Amino acid sequence: MTTRQSSVAVSGTFRDALNRAREMLAESNIEDPALESVVLLTRALKMNRVQLYLEFDNPISPEQAEQFGRLVTRRLKGEPAAYIVGHREFYGFDFCVDSNVLIPRPETELIVEQALELAKDRPITTIADIGTGCGAIAISLAHKLPETKIYATDISAAALKVASANCQKHGVSDRICLLEGDLLAPLPEPVDLIVANLPYVTDVDLNKVNTFGFEPTLALSGGPDGLDKIRRLCSQVSEKLSPGGSLLLEIGQGQVAAVTALLRNAFPAFKIEAFTDLAGIGRVVGMLFC
Ligand code: GLN
C-alpha cells in the first residue's frame, strides 16, 4: 500500500495525478474508476468538478498530492467513496453519509417514485419512513410532498444524528419528526403511508455485499432468509396504518414471492403488487388499499 500511495503522490499536473489514480483503481477492479478518481481528487483539492477541469494542467503541490494519495489508498483498501468524501447523491439531492448509515442506492429511488405515484391518487397527509438511516427517502419525499407530515424512525441513535444533519441541510427539520426506536414502535399515531428499506440481506449473502465491513451490518442483515425485519414490521402494521393506508417495502433480489405471500396472508383485504427496478429486479412490494 505504501508503494501504491507514493506512486499516486507523484509530481506533475492534476491531470497526471488523476490518470494515475484511475489506473490504480481500475487495477483493483473498482467499478467506476474514472468517476471515482475525479470524486477523490476534487475532495483532496477542495474544488468542484468545473474548477478541476479548468485547472487540469496546473501542477499538483506536494501537499495536495499527499492528501490525494491518502484518499486513493483508503479507496484501494475497500472503503466506499461515499464515506471517504462524506456524501452521496440520491433522487437528485445530496445527502451527508458516514459509516453509521447505509449508503443510499440508486434502486431505492423506486420506493420514492412509487410513493409519489400513490400520492397522486389519494390524499396522503402522514408518512412514516422506517429505518430511515441517513434520511434519504424521508427527505426526498418531504421535498416532493410539501404538505405532508413525515415521521422517520431508526433503532440507531448514531444514524438519526446523520438524518438530523440532513434534515437541517435540506431545510425540512420542521416537517420530519425523527424518532428513535424499533420499527413502528415509536410512531405516535397511525399514518397514511409506511415506506421502508429495511435490512434484507440473508446471512449467507452478507459477506458478498461489496461494502461489507464498512457499512453497518445492522442496516443490511435480515437473518437466515433476509426477512426477519420485514416479518416483524408486518406484525406491527395493523396498529400503525390509517384506514385506507398503504405500505411500500424495498426487498432484495428473489424475495418477491416470499414477501408477497407474507403480506397476502396477513392482509387479505389489500392489493399486493410488486414493482421492478431499472435492472429488471423486483425491488419494491406494495400493499395498497383497494
Ligand atoms: N441493497 C443493499 C445491498 O444489497 C441492501 C440494502 C438493505 O438491506 N436494505 O447491498
Side-chain angles (χ1 to χ4, degrees):
M1 274 313 152
T2 323
T3 349
R4 296 194 134 195
Q5 176 168 341
S6 51
S7 51
V8 78
V10 285
S11 54
T13 62
F14 293 156
R15 189 194 301 273
D16 298 330
L18 189 70
N19 288 342
R20 181 69 196 115
R22 193 184 57 235
E23 280 165 23
M24 290 165 74
L25 296 179
E27 276 164 26
S28 292
N29 298 320
I30 284 165
E31 213 171 276
D32 197 343
L35 176 69
E36 295 215 358
S37 51
V38 171
V39 165
L40 297 176
L41 184 56
T42 50
R43 176 69 178 186
L45 300 175
K46 301 185 185 69
M47 277 182 186
N48 63 37
R49 227 173 274 192
V50 176
Q51 280 173 296
L52 171 64
Y53 292 137
L54 290 174
E55 297 181 27
F56 234 8
D57 293 313
N58 284 7
I60 190 164
S61 72
E63 298 73 29
Q64 288 170 327
E66 199 186 317
Q67 173 61 7
F68 184 40
R70 267 198 292 270
L71 302 187
V72 172
T73 301
R74 283 169 66 183
R75 185 66 192 99
L76 291 172
K77 287 181 179 165
E79 187 174 348
Y83 288 157
I84 298 174
V85 300
H87 59 104
R88 170 55 54 93
E89 192 196 297
F90 175 84
Y91 211 74
F93 304 113
D94 187 66
F95 294 95
C96 302
V97 291
D98 68 20
S99 58
N100 293 298
V101 297
L102 204 73
I103 300 163
R105 311 284 204 268
E107 60 267 28
T108 301
E109 293 180 357
L110 183 60
I111 207 165
V112 176
E113 275 160 17
Q114 290 307 323
L116 297 177
E117 279 300 308
L118 283 179
K120 283 185 192 160
D121 299 342
R122 64 199 82 197
I124 293 182
T125 54
T126 48
I127 297 179
D129 174 23
I130 309 304
T132 194
C134 74
I137 297 175
I139 294 168
S140 301
L141 290 174
H143 273 300
K144 297 287 175 182
L145 301 172
E147 304 299 321
T148 309
K149 158 111 201 183
I150 300 181
Y151 295 103
T153 79
D154 207 292
I155 200 160
S156 157
L160 286 175
K161 268 195 185 165
V162 179
S164 171
N166 280 317
C167 285
Q168 276 172 30
K169 174 179 159 90
H170 288 271
V172 292
S173 299
D174 54 333
R175 295 190 28 237
I176 299 187
C177 173
L178 298 173
L179 300 165
E180 185 181 339
D182 182 39
L183 300 174
L184 302 177
L187 290 185
E189 58 169 342
V191 295
D192 300 328
L193 173 65
I194 295 171
V195 293
N197 175 18
L198 297 176
Y200 54 64
V201 181
T202 64
D203 288 344
V204 290
D205 284 342
L206 206 49
N207 63 5
K208 298 182 199 141
V209 175
N210 62 10
T211 53
F212 181 69
F214 290 94
E215 288 188 299
T217 302
L218 184 67
L220 290 168
S221 167
D225 67 352
L227 303 181
D228 280 4
K229 310 286 188 316
I230 291 179
R231 238 180 250 113
R232 235 152 36 72
L233 177 118
C234 289
S235 71
Q236 302 173 351
V237 158
S238 40
E239 282 168 41
K240 295 290 167 71
L241 202 56
S242 312
S246 305
L247 166 71
L248 291 170
L249 294 174
E250 180 171 320
I251 56 163
Q253 186 161 12
Q255 293 176 341
V256 170
V259 174
T260 303
L262 184 72
L263 290 171
R264 213 162 257 150
N265 284 337
F267 307 98
F270 284 75
K271 178 173 145 204
I272 312 299
E273 198 174 336
F275 304 96
T276 301
D277 68 16
L278 294 173
I281 296 165
R283 183 59 67 189
V284 170
V285 173
M287 177 176 103
L288 318 166
F289 187 75
C290 56

